[in-house]
């Protein structure tokens, strides 16, 4: 298993399942960037399957999904979000 964190939603998935889900999410992101209106991402986990539908306004959520899948595949690598920008006066 790629992730050993029991609280992770990806716990129990094999490396092949995580890689397939990551590839699907990245393809969905590319389709959204190219102008497709709605994209569906689905993957199998344990006894069932899960799916999510993204629209153009959900690009940030899709980027977070990709980052989470990358973190699950590479648990030693820390992916940090950009800190919020604050205006300077």
């Amino acid at each position: 298993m790629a992730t050993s964190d029991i609280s992770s939603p990806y716990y129990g998935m094999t490396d092949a399942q995580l890689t397939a889900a990551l590839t699907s999410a990245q393809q969905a992101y590319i389709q959204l960037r190219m102008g497709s209106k709605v994209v569906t991402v689905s993957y199998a986990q344990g006894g069932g399957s899960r799916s999510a539908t993204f629209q153009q306004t959900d690009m940030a959520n899709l980027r977070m999904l990709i980052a989470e899948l990358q973190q699950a595949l590479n648990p030693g690598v820390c992916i940090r979000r950009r800190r919020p920008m604050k205006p300077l006066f």
Side-chain angles (χ1 to χ4, degrees), residues 24-68:
S24 177
Q26 288 172 332
Q27 288 174 348
Y29 183 76
I30 290 169
Q31 288 175 357
L32 279 177
R33 294 287 296 191
M34 293 180 74
S36 298
K37 292 186 179 182
V38 177
V39 176
T40 301
V41 176
S42 61
Y43 58 92
Q45 178 180 5
S49 63
R50 300 183 186 262
S51 65
T53 302
F54 296 97
Q55 296 179 0
Q56 193 73 25
T57 57
D58 295 329
M59 290 194 60
N61 291 336
L62 189 54
R63 279 195 304 258
M64 285 183 9
L65 172 65
I66 291 170
E68 288 174 359

